[in-house]
Every structure is written in C-alpha cells, then in structure tokens.
C-alpha cells in the first residue's frame, strides 16, 4: 500500500476565453497509491474533472492549457511524452470511465466491436480471441446473456447496463489505474449501489488503483480509502476517508458533511439543515486570500488577505486553512 | 411540530391512472399502453408534506402532473378541498390554479431565458389579474426578498444566476399567489450539495410562514426523511408502501423500500465498513441489500407483483397474484403478499 503508482506535482490548468485566462486547476499535488481508491470530492466547477482529464492530456488545447506540473507514471512524465507513447498508456495502463455512458459509447457500433477495439489495438490477440475475451469481460461485469449483447447496440441497453459496458471496456487491458469521473451520477439509486459494488469487487480482484471523482460524499465514505476535497481549483483538505469525515479540519469539509441530512436523526437534531451560505465563486472573480472566506463561518481577518497553503498535520492528513484546531 | 394528522384533507387522490399510448400512427390506433400511473390513491392533509419516492420511470412525475391536470388523467378522481378537479373544465380550473403551484427539477429549463426575472415573476399576477402595475412591481421585490435574493436581481436575465439562485426564483414564482399546495418535482436534485440545504431550508421556512402543503417528489431518501411527514414509495406506476416517515424509515415492510433504504450510504461509517442496519433480509455482499436487474418497462410490466423479478424474497404466488395496498397498521400501507 505504500507504493505510489501515480504522482501529480503542482498541476495547473487554465482556459482562455473572452474574459481572459481562467485557472481551473491551480497547482494541485497528490499521489495515488497502489491498490487504493482515492476520491476527489467537490462541487461543480471546482476543477475536479479538468484535473482528471489533464492527467491523460484529454482537455481540448486550445482553449485549455496545462501551464505547469508533472504527472509521473512508471518513471515517465505523462505531460511530456510524445503522442505515440501517450496512446500506449491511454486505455492500456490508465483507463477512464465517464459520467454519461450514453454519450461515451458509439451509437452506431455494436458493443462487441467497441469492447474489442482496445484489445485489437493494444494486444496481439486475433479477432476470434478478442471476441472471446470480450464475452468474458461482459461476464465479469455481470451482464446477463453476454454473447447476445455482443451484437447489440448501446440504445438497446439500460443506463446501468451501459455503465457496466463502459467499465468492462475500461478493464479490457487490465489497467493499473482506473479514473472514474462521476460513474454513478446519471443512474438510479439502486443501480448506483450495483455499480459501486461492482467497482469495489473488481478492484479487489485486479488490484488496480481507482481515482474516483464525485460530488457524492456518501459514496466516498463507502468505498474510498483516502479523500481529496477540492474548492475553486485547489485542494483544501486531504486524508484518510474515515478520519476526514469524522473530524473535518477545513470548514468547507465540515459544511459539506453537515449539509447532508443524516438518516434517523430527524428527531434529535433541530429541523433545519446546516447550510453553507452563498454560492461557489466563479473562476473569473475569485475572492482575495482564501477562496472560501466569504462563505466561511470561522472567517478571520487574516483569511481575507493571506492565502493559506496546504500543510501537513500528521496522520496522513493535510489542510489548507489558517484555523488552528478543529472548525466548529 | 404540530401534528398535521388531524387537519382536514387538502387533496384526496383516488385510483388515479394515466396511460400513454405508444407505437400507434396517424391512421392506426395503438394497442400498446404505457401505464405510467396505474391506480394510485392517497390523501394530503393541510399543512402536511408528503414525499413521493421511487426510481426514474416509476411514474412519480407523471402522477404530479396528472394531479395538477398538466396532463389529463386517464381515469380516477383528484379531490382538491372536496372538488373533483378531473370533472372541471379548464375555465373552472383557472381560479383554482392560484392555489396549486409546481416547482420543477431544472430551474434553468423552466425560466424563459429571454425575459428578465422581474417580468417572469410578474406573470402570475398578470394572468390572474391581481394588482395594478406599480403594486405588481412591489410584490416582485417583496418576493425576491422572501426567497433571499436582492431586489436589484429583478432586472437581470436567468443566465446571470447560479443553479441555486435560479431555483430560488422558481420558488418565488410558485409562492407569488400564496398557494396552499405546492408540488415540488425533484427541486434540489440538480443542485450542488452545499446549495441543497439552503433550498430545503427555504422551502421549510415558507411552509411554516405561509402554511403550504407540499407534495415532494424525490429519489433522495435522506432528504425525504428530513423534509416529509409522510412518504409514499412508488414502483412501476403503483404505490407499494406508504407510512409516516418515522415508521417507514424505522420499520420498512416492502422489500423494495428496504432495498432503497439499505443503499443509502452513511457518512458515519468508514471505508469498506457499512453500518449494521437491522436488515430483515440477507444480503449477498457486504451489509447492503443489492437488488439485481433494472426497473422493467412500464409498457410491459411483469405479471403478478411488478417487483417480483427483482425481489429477494419472492415466492411462487408473487408471479401470478397482484398484491393490493392494504393497511397493516394504522396509517401504514403495504402492497406485498408476503408481509
């Protein structure tokens, strides 16, 4: 568990538009350990998806631009290697699944063709062997009557089944890392549970690492070992999932935790939910000092001027806040 | 909290059905019906909040629209303060519409992008011919303040607002005419976590100050428990369980309700460790009750109990006999042959 498979250093990504340059991801650093599920949590616009797409240089350039940083995988910097080498990594060593399985599957190709594509691209399997492997993969992601499904098209499947196919496709070449960008957001609750269960099951079987991007805190506490909380393009807190949600160190994490109603506590707590006031700031008018200060309940004078830096506080935890001790 | 259980009925829905015909053409009448809402009955008391939960395609949104007659129900009665809405003409409906409003899931899709907020909020007063021009403007400012926005926002267009603010505008429009009933169709599911609590709190405040009854449609079980007095669980067009939220969450009787409750993640539990919920049913992996398969198509529902192909405790009779919704304890209704 101590080896890191992916090391991200000081990643900074910006987009240029008519309002000038906007920094979507502002210098984030983290490590993904072997065999762990690392969750990246945040609200819309906090830069979590852009950060993940940049790892494989999947953001459109221009308008996007990776300003600084390095992404080290297998002793190579993914941000520097040539497109040929990058293509070898994509899909084989590092695979990705997206939020909406309908728009990420090709509607005019059969499922069989789509699953076989990475196999034919990255391995030396013959067409027949690839076919058999594809059927086996469908079976692995628990799709009923897989042989039949090989000749079907995406529209013939339900949302949950499509997401299973996506996961299957991502796993074809036994990747070391799976990047899952909001894999259950578009699905119904019961189907969400199925997919989470499947991901966890597959992780245990294959030993791969998963970078899970989500806004669903509940899902995070269920399956992630470590969590990174992002706000306005920066990491505000990180640490082991359990401790992080048990005793949040950053007021934003605490706010997120409290704003979700807890089951079975209706009678004990008062009727109002604890809210985080205000809105997520837009990137072209970020507040001075700490980006969270206008919404922070424990704001101090210093927060309005000085920007806090991410500091280690022991037990594998980091926080970026001027507050000493726990927020209330 | 005052118990609304003794209040008079505001809304009484009896055997409401809404079928959509599919697959027909201009000349050929279709034979296939999608039973989106298939005979649901419930009551909503004054000042009460009833949650309607279920997965997508279970008919909860169609039920809401059929109740407000935004779609014409196929059959059944909707009694609003004793008046059967289904029997009224659209003209007779018009004055009643002031008293019943709806909040939609996606606020950006339900506000006209080319009109200013002020003009959107003035619309209800114009339609119902209430108040003169200057008074309308004042009412709009008052509304904006009431939902926590700034009076100067009246001059802006919808695209200048964030999702949470747009939903506040949607709520302002719904409360403009002081309604008694608001149907809220997934009002917070498109919002960010930190904004959801704000909107729920706002709806709660309005309920108390304006004595509004809500029919609250959602798939988020945790928010429903927090916000609703009673809950009805829908599956494939039918209500499968209905009880006070306290009862339903502590003692669910239908296997479908149990499954919905068991998959709610708890923040308190750590990774890989799920809280020890007193599940009556055994679950295959982990502490969760995993339901296999997808929700079936309402065009071709399974025979007998519609839930039987996914049910972990089904018996032979479930495949043939349709369970009725029966009262197993005072105020607790379940449609299951085995419970």
């Amino acid at each position: 568990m101590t080896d890191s498979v992916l090391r991200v250093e000081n990643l900074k990504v910006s987009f240029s538009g008519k309002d000038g340059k906007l920094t979507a991801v502002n210098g984030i650093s983290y490590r993904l350990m072997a065999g762990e599920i690392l969750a990246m949590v945040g609200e819309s616009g906090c830069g979590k998806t852009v950060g993940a797409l940049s790892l494989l240089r999947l953001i459109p350039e221009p308008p996007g631009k990776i300003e600084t940083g390095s992404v080290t995988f297998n002793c190579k910097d993914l941000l520097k290697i040539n497109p040929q080498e990058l293509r070898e990594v994509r899909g084989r060593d590092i695979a990705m699944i997206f939020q909406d399985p309908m728009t990420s599957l090709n509607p005019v190709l059969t499922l069989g063709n789509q699953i076989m594509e990475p196999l034919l691209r990255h391995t030396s399997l013959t067409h027949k062997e690839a076919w058999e492997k594809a059927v086996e993969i469908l079976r692995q992601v628990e799709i009923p009557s897989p042989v039949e499904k090989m000749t079907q098209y995406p529209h013939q499947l339900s949302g949950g089944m499509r997401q299973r196919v996506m996961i299957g496709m991502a796993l074809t070449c036994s990747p070391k890392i799976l990047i899952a960008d909001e894999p259950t957001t578009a699905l119904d609750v019961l189907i969400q549970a199925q997919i989470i269960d499947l991901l966890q099951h597959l992780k245990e079987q294959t030993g791969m690492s998963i970078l899970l991007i989500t806004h669903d805190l509940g899902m995070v506490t269920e399956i992630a070992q470590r969590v990174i909380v992002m706000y306005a393009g920066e990491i505000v807190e990180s640490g082991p999932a359990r401790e992080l949600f048990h005793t949040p160190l950053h007021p934003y994490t605490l706010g997120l935790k409290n704003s979700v109603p807890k089951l079975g506590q209706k009678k004990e707590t008062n009727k109002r939910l604890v809210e985080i006031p205000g809105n997520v700031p837009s990137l072209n008018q970020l507040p001075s000092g700490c980006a969270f200060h206008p919404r922070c309940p424990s704001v101090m004078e210093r927060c309005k001027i000085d920007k806090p830096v991410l500091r280690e506080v022991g037990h594998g935890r980091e926080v970026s806040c001027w507050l000493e001790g726990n927020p209330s | 909290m005052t118990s609304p259980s003794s209040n008079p009925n505001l809304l009484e829905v009896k055997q409401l059905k809404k079928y959509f015909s599919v697959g027909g053409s201009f000349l050929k009448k279709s034979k296939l019906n999608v039973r989106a809402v298939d005979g649901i009955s419930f009551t909503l008391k004054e000042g009460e909040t009833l949650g309607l939960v279920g997965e997508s395609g279970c008919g909860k949104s169609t039920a809401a629209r059929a109740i407000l007659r935004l779609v014409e129900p196929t059959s059944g009665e909707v009694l609003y303060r004793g008046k059967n809405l289904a029997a009224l003409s659209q003209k007779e409906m018009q004055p009643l519409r002031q008293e019943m409003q709806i909040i939609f899931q996606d606020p950006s899709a339900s506000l006209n992008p080319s009109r200013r907020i002020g003009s959107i909020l003035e619309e209800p007063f114009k339609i119902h011919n209430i108040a003169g021009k200057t008074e309308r403007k004042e009412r709009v400012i008052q509304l904006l303040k009431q939902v926590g926005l700034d009076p100067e926002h009246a001059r802006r267009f919808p695209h200048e607002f964030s999702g949470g603010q747009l939903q506040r505008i949607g709520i302002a429009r719904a409360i403009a005419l002081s309604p008694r009933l608001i149907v809220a169709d997934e009002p917070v599911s498109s919002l960010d976590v930190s904004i959801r609590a704000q909107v729920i709190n706002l709806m709660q405040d309005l309920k108390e100050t304006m004595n509004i009854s809500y029919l609250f449609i959602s798939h988020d079980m945790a928010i429903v428990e927090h916000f609703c007095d009673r809950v009805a669980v829908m599956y494939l067009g039918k209500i499968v369980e209905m009880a006070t939220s306290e009862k339903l969450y502590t003692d669910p009787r239908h296997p479908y309700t149990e499954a919905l409750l068991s998959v709610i993640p708890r923040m308190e539990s750590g990774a890989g460790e799920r809280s020890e919920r007193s599940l009556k049913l055994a679950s295959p992996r982990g502490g969760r009750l995993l339901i296999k398969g997808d929700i079936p198509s309402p065009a071709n529902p399974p025979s007998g109990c519609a839930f039987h192909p996914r049910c972990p405790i089904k018996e032979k009779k479930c495949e043939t006999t349709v369970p009725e919704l029966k009262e197993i304890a005072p105020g607790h209704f379940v449609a299951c042959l085995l419970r």
Side-chain angles (χ1 to χ4, degrees):
Chain A
M1 274 294 286
T2 46
D3 302 339
S4 66
V5 284
L6 191 77
R7 206 172 73 232
V8 180
E9 298 284 353
N10 197 26
L11 180 69
K12 186 170 175 183
V13 188
S14 69
F15 286 87
S16 41
K18 55 178 194 290
D19 306 332
K21 201 157 75 174
L22 301 178
T23 308
V25 176
N26 194 7
I28 60 172
S29 308
Y30 60 90
R31 284 157 187 243
L32 178 65
M33 303 297 175
E36 78 167 345
I37 298 184
L38 173 66
M40 202 174 250
V41 199
E43 295 176 278
S44 43
C46 73
K48 54 193 193 300
T49 297
V50 171
L53 289 173
S54 309
L55 301 180
L56 290 173
R57 292 185 4 216
L58 287 170
I59 56 162
E61 295 180 76
K65 187 165 187 286
I66 297 171
E67 303 266 342
T68 59
S70 65
V71 178
T72 316
F73 172 77
N74 249 351
C75 309
K76 274 180 290 190
D77 184 356
L78 297 185
L79 302 181
K80 300 247 162 54
I81 58 176
N82 64 40
Q84 214 87 54
E85 288 176 289
L86 185 63
R87 218 171 300 151
E88 290 300 311
V89 174
R90 283 180 185 164
R92 195 180 64 185
D93 295 322
I94 304 181
M96 190 152 184
I97 52 178
F98 301 92
Q99 175 169 355
D100 185 352
M102 190 64 220
T103 51
S104 28
L105 287 170
N106 188 330
V108 297
L109 287 182
T110 60
L111 296 175
N113 274 328
Q114 299 189 52
I115 300 167
M116 279 155 57
E117 193 185 332
L119 288 171
L120 297 172
R121 170 82 185 72
H122 289 301
T123 64
S124 54
L125 295 183
T126 63
H127 192 276
K128 189 160 176 275
E129 286 165 339
W131 178 276
E132 278 158 16
K133 178 90 204 256
V135 173
E136 191 193 309
I137 284 161
L138 286 179
R139 202 166 281 136
Q140 203 184 355
V141 292
E142 295 163 13
I143 285 186
S145 48
V147 182
E148 206 177 293
K149 295 284 187 307
M150 288 290 282
T151 53
Q152 289 188 348
Y153 291 89
H155 74 266
Q156 292 169 289
L157 301 185
S158 66
M161 284 295 156
R162 277 183 219 136
Q163 196 57 287
R164 283 172 190 270
V165 171
M166 282 301 298
I167 294 172
M169 281 171 68
L171 297 179
T172 43
C173 297
S174 319
K176 296 193 183 60
I177 299 173
L178 177 69
I179 302 174
D181 186 4
E182 304 259 9
T184 63
T185 309
L187 306 173
D188 271 317
V189 269
L190 290 183
I191 313 296
Q192 282 183 5
Q194 292 175 0
I195 298 292
I196 294 173
D197 200 67
L198 178 69
L199 278 178
Q200 199 161 27
H201 182 66
L202 291 171
K203 189 213 91 176
E204 275 154 26
Q205 268 188 343
T206 61
M208 64 182 171
S209 310
I210 300 180
L211 177 62
L212 177 73
I213 294 152
T214 181
H215 68 272
D216 184 344
L217 297 174
M219 176 170 165
V220 168
T221 45
E222 286 250 312
I223 70 169
Q225 275 85 47
R226 283 195 310 132
V227 181
I228 292 174
V229 183
M230 285 189 68
Y231 189 78
E234 286 170 15
I235 296 177
V236 293
E237 182 167 3
S238 76
R242 204 186 166 136
E243 285 82 5
L244 189 130
F245 283 110
H246 192 257
T247 45
L249 294 176
H250 198 283
Y252 178 60
T253 317
L254 182 69
L256 285 181
K257 178 188 168 185
N258 286 342
S259 60
V260 179
K262 285 157 204 69
L263 272 193
Q265 296 196 353
K266 190 176 181 172
K267 295 288 163 288
E268 298 157 33
T269 52
N270 53 17
K271 276 185 294 167
R272 287 178 69 88
L273 289 172
V274 185
E275 49 185 78
I276 305 179
N279 291 299
V280 183
S282 63
L283 293 173
N284 55 1
Q285 32 189 265
L286 283 182
S288 62
C290 170
F292 188 60
H293 89 254
R295 305 176 73 189
C296 184
S298 359
V299 62
M300 301 175 287
E301 273 311 307
R302 186 181 189 183
C303 309
K304 297 174 188 166
I305 314 148
D306 285 350
K307 196 182 176 77
V309 283
L310 201 63
R311 58 187 161 98
E312 278 181 40
V313 288
H315 307 287
R317 301 185 65 174
E318 289 176 313
V319 65
S320 148
C321 182
W322 292 120
L323 211 63
E324 308 276 338
N326 296 342
S328 51
Chain B
M1 200 197 312
T2 53
S3 163
S5 56
S6 53
N7 291 0
N9 284 343
L10 183 70
L11 189 73
E12 205 173 328
V13 176
K14 289 181 182 167
Q15 286 300 319
L16 184 72
K17 289 183 185 172
K18 176 64 198 175
Y19 293 177
F20 294 101
S21 52
V22 288
S25 65
F26 179 59
L27 293 172
K28 198 172 139 216
K29 209 166 177 318
S30 93
K31 293 192 195 86
L32 195 60
N33 276 328
V34 173
R35 300 178 182 186
V37 178
D38 199 8
I40 61 167
S41 307
F42 62 84
T43 56
L44 179 65
K45 308 252 184 225
E46 266 180 48
E48 190 184 38
T49 300
L50 176 70
L52 203 54
V53 297
E55 291 173 281
S56 50
C58 75
K60 51 195 196 302
S61 291
T62 306
R65 283 167 174 72
I67 288 164
L68 295 180
R69 269 184 84 192
L70 298 176
V71 295
E72 288 298 323
T74 307
S75 70
E77 281 180 19
V78 178
L79 300 176
Y80 174 76
R81 292 203 286 146
K83 263 183 251 157
N84 185 7
L85 298 183
L88 298 179
S89 69
Q90 285 296 353
K91 207 171 173 182
E92 290 167 312
M93 268 299 282
Q94 180 87 348
L96 283 176
R97 291 220 180 268
Q98 289 181 33
E99 298 181 18
M100 42 184 88
Q101 295 289 334
I102 186 163
I103 302 170
F104 296 100
Q105 172 169 4
D106 185 352
S108 59
S110 55
L111 299 172
N112 188 335
S114 61
R115 290 177 62 180
R116 291 175 202 274
I117 300 308
S119 126
I120 290 174
L121 291 179
E122 253 184 74
E123 192 76 7
F125 300 110
K126 282 189 189 162
I127 289 173
H128 291 281
N129 231 336
I130 297 167
K133 204 171 177 189
T134 39
E135 202 197 328
R136 285 205 300 260
K137 298 261 187 272
E138 277 164 33
R139 296 279 281 270
V140 166
I141 289 170
Q142 210 183 329
L143 278 174
L144 285 171
K145 283 185 186 156
Q146 221 174 337
V147 297
L149 293 172
D150 218 58
E152 61 112 7
H153 286 153
R155 286 199 302 275
R156 297 199 194 165
F157 289 100
H159 74 264
E160 297 175 69
F161 293 92
S162 67
Q165 288 173 318
L166 287 175
Q167 197 57 290
R168 286 174 189 268
I169 295 164
I171 292 172
R173 180 172 61 178
I175 60 166
L177 302 171
S178 316
R180 287 162 166 250
L181 169 69
I182 289 184
V183 174
D185 189 0
E186 304 259 15
V188 295
S189 41
S190 68
L191 305 177
D192 267 319
V193 197
S194 74
I195 309 298
R196 277 182 200 175
Q198 294 178 5
V199 172
I200 290 288
N201 282 346
L202 172 66
M203 289 176 66
Q204 185 102 41
D205 294 344
L206 293 172
K207 174 186 168 164
E208 278 151 28
T209 51
M210 302 179 69
N211 191 27
I212 296 170
S213 309
Y214 287 105
L215 181 61
F216 186 85
I217 296 166
S218 180
H219 64 266
D220 185 332
M221 297 296 282
I223 283 188
V224 167
E225 185 195 27
H226 173 83
F227 190 65
C228 299
D229 304 313
R230 276 193 310 136
V231 184
V233 182
M234 278 186 80
Y235 189 76
L236 229 57
K238 290 196 166 90
I239 290 177
V240 296
E241 182 160 7
M242 179 159 61
T244 60
S245 55
E246 201 186 345
K247 230 145 175 88
L248 191 100
Y249 283 80
T250 52
D251 185 22
R253 293 301 183 88
H254 198 281
Y256 181 61
T257 317
E258 268 192 75
L260 284 178
L261 290 177
S262 76
V263 297
I264 309 174
R266 271 104 218 295
M267 307 274 265
E268 289 75 25
S269 59
E273 169 197 5
R274 286 163 190 143
S275 61
E276 289 155 33
R277 206 183 163 72
S278 55
L279 276 181
K280 286 186 229 99
L281 310 170
S283 47
R285 280 185 217 148
R288 248 181 329 202
L289 177 63
L290 277 184
I291 293 293
K292 294 272 169 207
D294 291 313
I295 191 164
S297 156
N300 185 19
S303 62
C305 170
F307 188 58
H308 88 255
R310 302 171 79 189
C311 184
I313 56 163
K314 69 153 182 167
E315 288 176 11
K316 197 89 203 133
K317 61 183 172 187
C318 303
E319 290 167 24
T320 48
T321 320
V322 180
E324 296 289 325
L325 191 66
K326 54 182 188 286
E327 193 164 8
I328 53 156
H332 194 157
F333 298 85
V334 181
C336 180
L337 297 171
L338 307 171
R339 290 287 163 81

